[in-house]
Amino acid sequence: MSLFSKLFKDPNQKYIESLQPIIDQINSLEEEIKKLSAEELRSKTQKFKQDLEKNKVTLDEILPEAFAMVRESAKRTLGQRHYDVQLMSGISLHRGRIAEMKTGEGKTLSSTLALYLNALAGPAHLITVNDYLSKRDCVWMGQIYHYLGLSVGSIEHEASYVYVEKEGEISSDVIKIEDDYLKLVSRREAYQADIVYGTNNEFGFDYLRDNMKNSLEELCQRGYHYCIIDEVDSVLIDEARTPLIISSPDVESTDKYQIFSQVVKSLEENKHYNIDEKMRSVTFTEEGQSYMADKLKEDPWAKADFTTIFHLEASLKAQLLFKKDKDYIVKDGEVVIVDEFTGRLMAGRRYSEGLHQAIEAKEKVSVQRESMTLATVSFQNYFRMYKKSSGMTGTAATEAEEFAKIYSLEVDIIPTNKPIIRQDLNDKIYKSENGKFKAIIETVREKNKKGQPVLIGTISIEKNELLGKLLSQEGIKCNLLNAKQHEKEAEIISQAGKLGAVTVATNMAGRGVDIILGGYPFNQAEYEKVKSAGGLHVIGTERHESRRIDNQLRGRSGRQGDPGSSQFYVCMDDDSMRVFGSDRLK
């Protein structure tokens, strides 16, 4: 190593190297731990708990032995042994930092190390991105904790469970959830477990509900000791300011919403209103105000009737800025919000300040009652209550500064177990959307001929369905994945690596489920065929406002040293190009 590189070594590299002596210590204990029976491992867990309670030891002192025990338990129950890089990630998570691990590097398994260690001293929570993953990981990873003598719970939207052991083995099928191993319990019982899996919404709403209880005996949650936030960028950056609100019906919604929805349709841009797509705001011009006063036979601006002005602006916003099958869908006569970052449905969530009612009037569905806020908290404030919190994701480096400034969380870039050999090709730019889609179909046809699997990422449900239709018209068989098929998400995405498979997905793209070349379950012969065809090819149909979301899509390919490639196709009509580009560019 040159003197220059010694003096100016990357701080992340320095930190990773500083972990090596601890990794060596954990590895040196492997043979010793291997000789212990299940009973002996469980009694060690109890001894750790007692020693920590009496302040005889600290978590850092027992870390090497605890990690070696988790690794041994995973080998015996799941047949999986933590890699050294997963041990590094476990140390970072225990230290209250963010571990950036590339897709397919095993974040789920890495988290078991820090969860076990911290659960010895108090309740440990793992925040997942959806109910499916919280239930799946409670069963899948629950085997490791149960073997070591810790209890595991899972909370989801309408139920809560604890892991129970049954006779016989759990199948190695990580897509299927084995309900036999979950016992339905009350919310309070689930929170009594040493380790609890659940989504950010569920933890947040349970906190709000606890704040509205009348006595301590009724409380569900028991302290905020330690948490790991999976997909931490999505929770702490994308949804940071999204408030969780518990409300009760207030006043009956008036017919005004339907009237306003009809009137604003006749307004003209730059004459009656101005729109700023970048800031997502709309304002009435003076001429627009006069026009509205004429139509409504009263002037809310002259009377300073702010409630009416507010509702008028909400109706205009609903008409111009909120698009069906992109920002929301209409399902069973209800307007359901689509999460802009994950592409998932947010059942039970409503836009506030009259916006949801305005969208209901626009879509001609029943306009529900307005509500009154009883309790509210933002994710930012909720997660600050934990004594120690950490996070993991495939893409945190781009937001490292934000994490450090707002949450005092440092980002560690964990090296991959095997080098990444994926080819990230330069973007292809087209003048029109029509030209772009033709080029994408041509590429898919070409890859399909040689059996190379293709994953196509779209930004909205509307574009997702349009592209699926165009591919079908060209005789190319494809699987569609968007918020409307979210129940089958894991199943669809797990088969995206099959020989000749074509999958069109919104940016939900099955977080938490690996795309294994050759399809699921693993088959060596199929794997070799797909590998020789070039691995998974990822196509992005447009650039997202957040570079991180693009990197997530790219990261679906090239896991664990597999071959793969990715390329984005953009055109001048794309929202990002239209809003952030200029006419000169076109």
Side-chain angles (χ1 to χ4, degrees), residues 545-556:
E545 276 179 39
S546 165
R547 185 169 43 136
R548 193 169 27 81
I549 308 275
D550 293 340
N551 291 344
Q552 274 164 10
L553 180 62
R554 280 209 146 123
R556 302 304 304 169

Side-chain angles (χ1 to χ4, degrees), residues 81 364 521:
R81 179 183 177 275
K364 297 183 173 61

Side-chain angles (χ1 to χ4, degrees), residues 69-82 86 106-113 136-148 163 165 169-174 176 178 181 197 520:
M69 284 164 64
V70 176
R71 182 191 255 180
E72 185 56 33
S73 174
K75 270 160 59 183
R76 293 182 196 181
T77 54
L78 307 181
Q80 294 184 8
R81 179 183 177 275
H82 293 76
Q86 287 173 321
K107 290 189 279 290
T108 309
L109 193 61
S110 301
S111 65
T112 56
L113 299 157
R136 183 201 75 173
D137 293 349
C138 177
V139 175
W140 191 24
M141 297 296 126
Q143 300 169 77
I144 299 175
Y145 312 121
H146 188 272
Y147 193 84
L148 294 169
Y163 173 86
E165 195 169 56
E169 279 184 30
I170 293 186
S171 79
S172 58
D173 187 345
V174 301
K176 198 166 127 255
E178 302 232 353
Y181 293 82
Y197 283 83
Y520 185 86

Side-chain angles (χ1 to χ4, degrees), residues 297-319:
K297 307 282 187 286
E298 61 172 337
D299 190 343
W301 285 274
K303 287 161 63 181
D305 178 358
F306 296 114
T307 309
T308 305
I309 295 169
F310 212 69
H311 288 165
L312 281 170
E313 285 181 352
S315 295
L316 191 56
K317 247 185 180 177
Q319 206 67 244

Side-chain angles (χ1 to χ4, degrees), residues 518-532:
Y520 185 86
F522 180 75
N523 176 307
Q524 190 64 43
E526 290 297 304
Y527 170 78
E528 292 302 334
K529 281 182 196 169
V530 175
K531 195 176 167 183
S532 59

